[in-house]
């Protein structure tokens, strides 16, 4: 199986020194690195095919259009959407979630309705619902997180009382970017549907890490970013069930999304073009299709197993360090290949800076989870997040770097 060491040479960026030490990149939750196959797909497009899509009849434009639409088909296959028309290209998770709020939300919600989210949502899956609630008069409620320190996962028992027929939309993250909890997405979608609510899954942290099948999940909408799955930045997608997308008004007007235009009014193309006004990120879509090919060649079950193994190894190694609080679900609960932690009396930014001197790239801060941080009683945490090219040796380097942090502050 090609995983870890065996595929590091596919990622040219990893072969470098940072602060005089070999780079140990453990910030994959923020963004992943790109294999040469993706970089090559991007440059091949710019070297040979660059033209605008859906507009020209010349050879380059037809090639660009074919590449762009083939990318949509590839993405549909990657998440097992029923058809390519269920894939709307966006800039990423954030834009996808805002699109649902602005279109489905504005068209369907009124005072008295409830939007249900969870207490572990990233700001991208929280702020758009706050704005939607303010716009429509709907109420925003939250499924609590459980545990003595509120860090173990969703309180599923609370769903019995929270998921009422007043709930019109239930938005939740598949994997928490701070706790590493893997939520039971299929069960949550099923329970949303049972009360007539539309389900919105934030797959930013699961796409490219876990096998993902929208039909098996039974979700109505699913949002993700290409850059977290070995693809380029600035491209991602919204999956929406065809019947839902077709019934929605567009959120932006412009070229590419219209059927006819008069001075006084216009008519729209069907989904997905209706939601793709203006020139899209053509190269990005083609690069993202390359990332799908790459990840499927490695195999997503193998990637998930590798990530989980490194996560478990890191948690065991870090648990030995004095004064550490490791966040996340109890042992045995589903959890992603990341570890989020805090040292008593040492700020996350100091940890990151000292680790960086050892060549180790980590993320520290509130991780765009400010209300959750408040609930956890922490100003910030440090996060190490793993991906297919990370190795067991890198966990040893991480642990040694953290020992240096402790020594410095002793
Ligand atoms: N989390 C992290 O370091 P964008 O920025 O649109 O690609 O993704 C937003 C987003 C939405 N939901 C979740 C669960 C996420 O983790 C993220 C991005 C990064 O954790 C950057 S804050």
């Amino acid at each position: 199986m090609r995983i870890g060491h065996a595929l590091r040479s596919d990622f040219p960026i990893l072969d470098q020194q940072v602060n005089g030490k070999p780079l140990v990149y453990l910030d994959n939750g923020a963004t992943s690195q790109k294999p040469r196959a993706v970089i090559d797909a991007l440059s091949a497009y710019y070297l040979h095919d660059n033209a605008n899509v859906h507009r020209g009849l010349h050879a380059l434009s037809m090639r660009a259009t074919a590449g762009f639409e083939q990318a949509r088909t590839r993405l549909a296959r990657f998440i097992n959407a029923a058809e390519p028309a269920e894939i709307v290209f966006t800039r990423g998770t954030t834009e996808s979630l805002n699109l649902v709020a602005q279109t489905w939300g504005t068209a369907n919600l009124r005072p008295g309705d409830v939007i249900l989210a969870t207490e572990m949502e990233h700001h991208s899956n929280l702020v758009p619902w706050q704005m939607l609630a303010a716009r429509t008069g709907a109420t925003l409620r939250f499924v609590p997180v459980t545990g003595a320190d509120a860090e173990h996962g969703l309180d599923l028992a609370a769903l019995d009382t929270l998921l009422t027929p007043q709930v019109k939309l239930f938005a939740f993250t598949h994997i928490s970017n701070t706790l590493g909890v893997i939520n039971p997405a299929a069960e949550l979608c099923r329970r949303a549907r049972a009360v007539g609510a539309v389900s919105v899954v934030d797959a930013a942290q699961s796409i490219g890490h876990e096998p993902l099948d929208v039909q098996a999940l039974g979700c109505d909408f699913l949002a993700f970013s290409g850059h977290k799955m070995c693809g380029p930045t600035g491209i991602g997608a919204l999956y929406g069930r065809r019947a839902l997308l077709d019934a929605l008004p567009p959120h932006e007007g412009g070229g590419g999304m219209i059927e006819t235009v008069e001075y006084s009014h216009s008519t729209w193309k069907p989904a997905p073009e209706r939601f793709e006004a203006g020139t899209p990120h053509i190269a990005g879509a083609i690069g993202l299709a390359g990332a799908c090919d790459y990840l499927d060649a490695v195999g997503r079950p193998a990637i998930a197993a590798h990530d989980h193994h490194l996560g478990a190894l890191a948690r065991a190694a870090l648990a030995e360090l004095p004064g550490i609080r490791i966040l996340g679900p109890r042992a045995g609960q589903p959890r992603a290949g990341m570890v989020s932690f805090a040292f008593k009396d040492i700020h996350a930014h100091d940890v990151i800076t000292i680790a960086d001197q050892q060549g180790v790239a980590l993320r520290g801060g509130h991780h765009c989870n400010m209300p959750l941080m408040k609930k956890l009683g922490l100003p910030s945490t440090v996060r190490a997040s793993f991906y297919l090219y990370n190795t067991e040796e890198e966990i040893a380097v991480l642990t040694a770097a953290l020992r240096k942090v402790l020594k410095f502050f002793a």
Side-chain angles (χ1 to χ4, degrees), residues 27 29-31 91-95 97 122 124-125 173 175-177 202 204-205 225 227-228 363 367-368 383:
D27 195 16
T31 200
R91 279 183 288 126
T93 311
T94 304
E95 188 185 359
L97 294 166
H122 185 280
S124 294
N125 202 23
T173 191
I175 294 181
S176 159
N177 67 321
D202 174 349
Q205 293 292 340
S225 305
H227 69 94
K228 294 194 201 282
R363 176 158 187 213
H367 309 289
C368 297
R383 184 186 68 193

Side-chain angles (χ1 to χ4, degrees), residues 244-255:
L244 284 171
L245 286 183
D246 278 344
L248 291 181
H251 64 309
E252 285 179 344

Side-chain angles (χ1 to χ4, degrees), residues 29-30 88-101 121-126 128-129 172-175 200-207 221-229 232-239 288:
V88 179
F89 281 117
T90 64
R91 279 183 288 126
T93 311
T94 304
E95 188 185 359
S96 298
L97 294 166
N98 276 278
L99 198 162
V100 178
E121 296 312 314
H122 185 280
H123 297 166
S124 294
N125 202 23
L126 169 53
W129 311 124
F172 60 87
T173 191
H174 192 183
I175 294 181
V200 182
V201 181
D202 174 349
Q205 293 292 340
S206 54
I207 191 84
F221 294 105
L222 182 131
F224 61 93
S225 305
H227 69 94
K228 294 194 201 282
M229 52 173 282
T233 50
I235 186 79
L238 172 69
Y239 157 81
L288 183 51

Side-chain angles (χ1 to χ4, degrees), residues 67-81 84 87 89 224 229 285-297 300:
F68 184 67
E69 290 305 327
Q70 278 158 16
R72 195 189 305 279
T73 303
R74 182 66 186 90
L75 226 54
R77 185 151 59 84
F78 192 72
I79 61 168
N80 196 29
I87 302 292
F89 281 117
F224 61 93
M229 52 173 282
I286 290 168
L288 183 51
C292 294
D293 289 343
Y294 183 82
L295 293 173
D296 277 343
R300 277 179 282 167

